[in-house]
Amino acid sequence: MSSVLVRGLRKSFGDHVVLSSVDLEVAEGSLTAVLGPSGSGKTTLLRILAGFERADAGSVSIGGTVVEDAATHVAPERRRIGYVPQEGALFPHLDAAGNVGFGLARRERRNGRVDELLALVGLEGEGSLYPHQLSGGQQQRVALARALATRPHLVLLDEPFSSLDAALRAEVRADVAKVLKETGTTAVLVTHDQDEALSLANEVAVLRQGSVAQSAGPEEIYAEPLDPSIARFLGDANILEGIVRSGKAHTALGTLDLGARASSFREADRILVLVRPEQVSLRDGDANAQPLSGRVSACEFYGHDMLVTVTVGNGGQSSSVIARLAGGSPPRSGSTVTLKVAGPVKAWPLS
């Protein structure tokens, strides 16, 4: 297992700049998720790490060894990298054992390494099955076992769960996380799925317009996004305008606690405030109980929880706020509720 260091990586295709200046560090034995929308350069970054593409500028080091820079390009097969593509890409003419052992020397194929890997990914005794006999989740497990077979320095996962249905996706990614942790494997996952990145990774790097806009642990990047754009990209977010009065944020949601952030602002500063939906609680309210009362305008019920949209304020001054509530009886559309915001809120200067 090895650490990964990327510095000043740039890549263009013709006049189209895909990566403008990417800096990224992946600690040995950790999983880093590179999160970004379609077209942000995630796959290109992964292909450069794998050696499938050459960078125009910058460098890539794996385990302290430079594998990519202006003077160096180590071939993919010499980088000791395991690669798990989006849909497994198993060889249809080989059974599961044959797929896992494809890159191994004959001696290793015979010494129990293949059976050990199949057991590791939860497919003990299934080595004789062919890809068409395996479910999507089983195929991805075989692909992971194949990637781990040669004891790689680094495993790259290219949106490996995107083709699975929701229930299977959660199960397989939990299994993959367990296997990577048990083997101490350094891994980079590229995804556009925020839940996937936050739940799996030790570090989340948000790729935006060809560069890493922010990189931090899941809890930190969710609670302390660098700007409103990252806040929205990482999940549901209420972004409200406000004004600082006596160290508090005065908003359409009432007076909110800025906590230690209050010292960053001056009296009467205009700010943007982030309130996550799970910070908002609702109870039956009095329409005259201003400014924290509102009317329910919509409810998305998911069973285990629900997203409730509440309109606060009146006329041209009204705002919509989303609250995430535990499962139960959804509030009636049009009913009046009182809102309460828990904990200090994140805020930025309003430029």
Side-chain angles (χ1 to χ4, degrees):
M1 283 67 71
S2 303
S3 61
V4 180
L5 182 64
V6 176
R7 285 288 177 260
L9 208 63
R10 299 205 303 268
K11 179 65 179 179
S12 298
F13 294 99
D15 295 331
H16 179 53
V17 178
V18 180
L19 301 176
S20 55
S21 183
V22 172
D23 293 322
L24 182 68
E25 294 185 35
V26 181
E28 182 176 351
S30 72
L31 170 61
T32 292
V34 178
L35 178 66
S38 297
S40 60
K42 303 187 302 297
T43 297
T44 299
L45 173 59
L46 206 69
R47 289 179 62 80
I48 291 174
L49 290 176
F52 302 152
E53 297 279 358
R54 289 216 62 174
D56 296 334
S59 65
V60 176
S61 298
I62 300 176
T65 300
V66 175
V67 297
E68 186 80 25
D69 66 9
T72 307
H73 176 73
V74 176
E77 63 273 16
R78 294 180 53 217
R79 293 193 182 195
R80 292 286 300 278
I81 286 176
Y83 185 76
V84 181
Q86 193 170 78
E87 296 187 20
L90 301 181
F91 301 114
H93 64 290
L94 296 179
D95 60 17
N99 270 279
V100 172
F102 181 78
L104 295 175
R106 182 177 299 176
R107 177 179 55 81
E108 282 198 287
R109 290 200 298 269
R110 292 175 174 173
N111 70 2
R113 175 69 174 160
V114 170
D115 290 338
E116 172 192 330
L117 286 163
L118 286 170
L120 183 66
V121 298
L123 291 175
E124 187 173 8
E126 307 291 346
S128 62
L129 296 180
Y130 284 81
H132 72 274
Q133 297 172 305
L134 300 170
S135 69
Q138 289 173 322
Q139 289 181 33
Q140 287 304 92
R141 290 184 176 94
V142 172
L144 176 62
R146 182 176 62 185
L148 293 170
T150 58
R151 297 178 175 85
H153 294 313
L154 172 68
V155 168
L156 304 176
L157 302 115
D158 186 5
E159 304 210 36
F161 317 113
S162 61
S163 62
L164 306 177
D165 63 59
L168 188 57
R169 186 161 59 240
E171 177 188 336
V172 174
R173 71 188 182 199
D175 289 343
V176 168
K178 180 183 177 183
V179 169
L180 292 174
K181 185 176 181 179
E182 287 179 354
T183 56
T185 303
T186 308
V188 175
L189 163 75
V190 300
T191 180
H192 64 273
D193 186 317
Q194 297 88 343
D195 292 341
E196 191 168 286
L198 293 171
S199 64
L200 278 180
N202 304 108
E203 188 89 358
V204 177
V206 176
L207 197 61
R208 182 173 65 188
Q209 296 177 341
S211 64
V212 175
Q214 185 176 0
S215 183
E219 297 88 351
E220 179 183 348
I221 203 168
Y222 185 76
E224 297 287 340
L226 196 63
D227 56 43
S229 175
I230 294 175
R232 291 188 183 96
F233 186 66
L234 288 170
D236 296 310
N238 298 300
I239 309 290
L240 308 168
E241 290 190 19
I243 188 167
V244 178
R245 299 287 188 197
S246 302
K248 303 283 188 180
H250 290 251
T251 74
L253 265 178
T255 303
L256 306 180
D257 181 15
L258 289 169
R261 301 182 183 94
S263 61
S264 304
F265 303 105
R266 296 173 299 179
E267 186 73 5
D269 272 356
R270 306 292 300 183
I271 58 175
L272 286 176
V273 176
L274 166 64
V275 179
R276 291 291 186 189
E278 57 270 20
Q279 290 181 267
V280 183
S281 58
L282 306 179
R283 61 181 176 83
D284 291 342
D286 179 353
N288 296 317
Q290 297 297 332
L292 290 178
S293 64
R295 290 191 179 277
V296 174
S297 56
C299 179
E300 298 176 30
F301 183 73
Y302 300 106
H304 50 75
D305 67 2
M306 65 187 93
L307 286 178
V308 181
T309 303
V310 180
T311 302
V312 296
N314 296 299
Q317 301 302 312
S318 65
S319 299
S320 289
V321 175
I322 300 172
R324 178 175 285 112
L325 309 178
S329 298
R332 290 180 294 104
S333 181
S335 61
T336 299
V337 292
T338 297
L339 300 86
K340 182 178 180 181
V341 177
V345 294
K346 171 74 177 175
W348 304 272
L350 181 59
S351 54

